[in-house]
Amino acid sequence: MALCSVRKARECWSFIRALHKGPAATPAPQVSEHTQLSWILTCMVRLPRLQHLHQWKAKAARQKHDGTVGLLTYPVLQAADILCYKSTHVPVGEDQVQHMELVQDLARSFNQKYGEFFPLPKSILTSMKKVKSLRDPSAKMSKSDPDKLATVGITDSPEEIVQKFRKAVTDFTSEVTYEPESRAGVSNMVAIHAAVSGLSVEEVVRSSAGMDTARYKLLVADAVIEKFAPIRSEIEKLKMDKDHLKKVLHVGSAKAKELAYPVFEQVKKLVGIL
């Protein structure tokens, strides 16, 4: 299971890097400094601190308390990924704010014990703070959701996207409005529409006046399909060029190693690892 996750992560990262940055960065599995720093940081955090993180509690509950230690300590690995490069600002969604607070706490604890070393990274919240599940608008959209209709993937076919939005949960009122507290499902459609179209929520609602929610869901699906089309096309093209993807990983790994290695060497000296 873990190896499968690593493989998928490598595939996703290689596509993303090739699409946006070329051979300029790499996923964590190729840079050992991430996991080594993660172990040191794990020794500085108490168990209850991790158990109180809302994502751990939610996932552990869904897994009927069979959550693994890896799942519990994953936020510490995230912290290592950030601190290994002495990052100062990190773009995150609203659901990751609590994890960023952990990053700041770990940096602060390390600095108090070993002297000022890590900056305290700040969160940069994205304009759309959280995408909600299509099947349960009270929860965030998650790729690990067992309900395959709940999450839209960039590589989903147009037919799959239409099916998912057609079955998206709304309510019995046909009017399109944005009222997150009382109409979470329809409001989620509006938020997604605004995000992919570049319009404001107010503009989306005005442009949808007189439209019922059944028709509106298909309109949102079309907007998502249009937004994803060039990305899906580029991904398919990249999948045919394995050599390029390997180069992205290889060159990016070397670049990331070059940045992370001196930071972790300093960490080792500070904590007394020879």
Side-chain angles (χ1 to χ4, degrees):
M1 192 66 145
L3 291 176
C4 179
S5 298
V6 169
R7 186 184 70 250
K8 288 181 179 178
R10 292 183 62 187
E11 291 171 354
C12 291
W13 271 99
S14 60
F15 291 149
I16 291 170
R17 295 305 183 189
L19 279 166
H20 297 292
K21 296 184 179 179
T26 187
Q30 298 238 348
V31 184
S32 60
E33 283 77 10
H34 291 208
T35 51
Q36 294 178 73
L37 178 57
S38 177
W39 169 248
I40 291 174
L41 296 177
T42 300
C43 295
M44 300 180 67
V45 62
R46 295 185 181 278
L47 183 60
R49 180 72 170 84
L50 300 180
Q51 290 175 320
H52 287 155
L53 294 174
H54 59 74
Q55 288 201 21
W56 159 256
K57 290 193 290 188
K59 290 182 179 180
R62 285 200 301 270
Q63 295 176 9
K64 297 180 181 178
H65 303 289
D66 287 334
T68 65
V69 174
L71 179 63
L72 177 68
T73 60
Y74 185 70
V76 184
L77 177 60
Q78 287 181 308
D81 294 344
I82 294 167
L83 297 178
C84 221
Y85 301 95
K86 288 193 168 183
S87 305
T88 58
H89 296 78
V90 184
V92 295
E94 190 176 46
D95 60 306
Q96 290 295 318
V97 168
Q98 196 179 43
H99 287 179
M100 280 299 298
E101 291 172 352
L102 175 66
V103 177
Q104 294 167 342
D105 287 347
L106 286 169
R108 192 176 290 110
S109 296
F110 187 95
N111 292 346
Q112 288 174 348
K113 188 168 185 178
Y114 299 107
E116 290 299 318
F117 183 73
F118 289 121
L120 301 184
K122 297 180 180 179
S123 298
I124 302 176
L125 287 175
T126 53
S127 56
M128 188 174 186
K129 297 179 181 180
K130 185 185 297 185
V131 182
K132 302 294 184 66
S133 163
L134 297 185
R135 300 295 290 168
D136 178 8
S138 67
K140 75 163 190 170
M141 186 179 286
S142 171
K143 62 183 180 296
S144 61
D145 195 315
D147 187 344
K148 299 305 179 185
L149 295 175
T151 303
V152 179
I154 291 177
T155 57
D156 284 349
S157 69
E159 295 75 19
E160 289 173 319
I161 292 175
V162 167
Q163 181 191 30
K164 289 177 179 181
F165 276 95
R166 192 190 299 273
K167 293 183 178 297
V169 170
T170 50
D171 55 34
F172 297 106
T173 303
S174 63
E175 185 183 4
V176 177
T177 63
Y178 185 74
E179 304 170 64
E181 296 301 321
S182 58
R183 303 191 69 201
V186 176
S187 297
N188 188 35
M189 296 294 103
V190 172
I192 292 172
H193 191 184
V196 299
S197 66
L199 299 173
S200 68
V201 165
E202 293 75 17
E203 289 171 325
V204 165
V205 172
R206 281 198 300 270
S207 68
S208 306
M211 189 179 297
D212 63 52
T213 53
R215 183 180 164 202
Y216 180 64
K217 287 193 287 186
L218 297 182
L219 177 66
V220 179
D222 287 341
V224 171
I225 291 168
E226 182 180 355
K227 184 71 174 181
F228 285 177
I231 303 173
R232 288 183 67 249
S233 176
E234 188 67 15
I235 286 175
E236 291 304 314
K237 187 192 304 182
L238 289 168
K239 286 169 70 175
M240 302 299 292
D241 191 352
K242 302 293 186 183
D243 289 339
H244 173 68
L245 295 180
K246 289 178 181 177
K247 181 180 178 181
V248 168
L249 286 171
H250 177 74
V251 176
S253 178
K255 179 63 177 178
K257 187 88 172 178
E258 180 183 330
L259 296 172
Y261 178 80
V263 174
F264 187 65
E265 286 300 298
Q266 289 178 280
V267 168
K268 287 198 296 183
K269 290 179 181 178
L270 287 171
V271 301
I273 299 176
L274 301 178

